[in-house]
Amino acid sequence: QVQLVESGGGLVQAGGSLRLSCAASGLTFSTHTMAWFRQAPGKEREFVAAFSWNGGSRNYADSVKGRFTISRDNAKNTVYLQMNSLKPEDTAVYYCAATYRWSGLNTGARYDYWGQGTQVTVSS
């Protein structure tokens, strides 16, 4: 049984930082692409960042480039999202996702497993 458990969300002022973590179990972590998506109230879920297992490439949404960094620790079966220079528009529930695929990574339908999400709120 695959489980993805996010942590690290919270309330932060604009300009601040947070680091999200996602601990994975029940899958071969080193051969799964890991990603972060987010969903704000009243909006569709959107891609944030992905770290491909095949070649180690990292992709980011334009809205977070230069501010967010995705990383992974295969020894700990954990993926991280370091979020700096946070803005109120970053407020959302952030979800961790996993897939064995390494292309089309900005599309939620390409992912097989999802976490329950962690709330990030950025105040102005």
Side-chain angles (χ1 to χ4, degrees):
Q1 177 183 355
V2 175
Q3 283 194 315
L4 303 177
V5 180
E6 302 98 335
S7 61
L11 173 64
V12 64
Q13 288 189 331
S17 298
L18 281 175
R19 188 176 84 151
L20 305 183
S21 300
C22 171
S25 60
L27 53 74
T28 305
F29 187 80
S30 60
T31 58
H32 276 73
T33 291
M34 301 301 296
W36 292 94
F37 286 75
R38 68 186 181 186
Q39 188 167 20
K43 295 188 177 181
E44 293 187 354
R45 181 180 61 195
E46 66 174 357
F47 170 77
V48 176
F51 197 137
S52 173
W53 72 269
N54 187 7
S57 64
R58 308 182 205 196
N59 300 321
Y60 296 93
D62 288 342
S63 59
V64 307
K65 279 181 183 176
R67 300 188 299 122
F68 291 10
T69 301
I70 188 170
S71 61
R72 61 189 294 163
D73 185 337
N74 287 349
K76 295 182 178 180
N77 286 5
T78 301
V79 62
Y80 305 96
L81 185 68
Q82 178 66 45
M83 306 186 294
N84 299 328
S85 302
L86 282 161
K87 305 174 181 180
E89 51 264 43
D90 294 318
T91 295
V93 177
Y94 283 70
Y95 296 93
C96 175
T99 179
Y100 64 87
R101 303 172 179 87
W102 60 85
S103 63
L105 299 180
N106 61 344
T107 303
R110 300 284 284 173
Y111 291 81
D112 305 296
Y113 308 107
W114 294 84
Q116 293 297 309
T118 186
Q119 176 71 46
V120 171
T121 303
V122 184
S123 63
S124 58

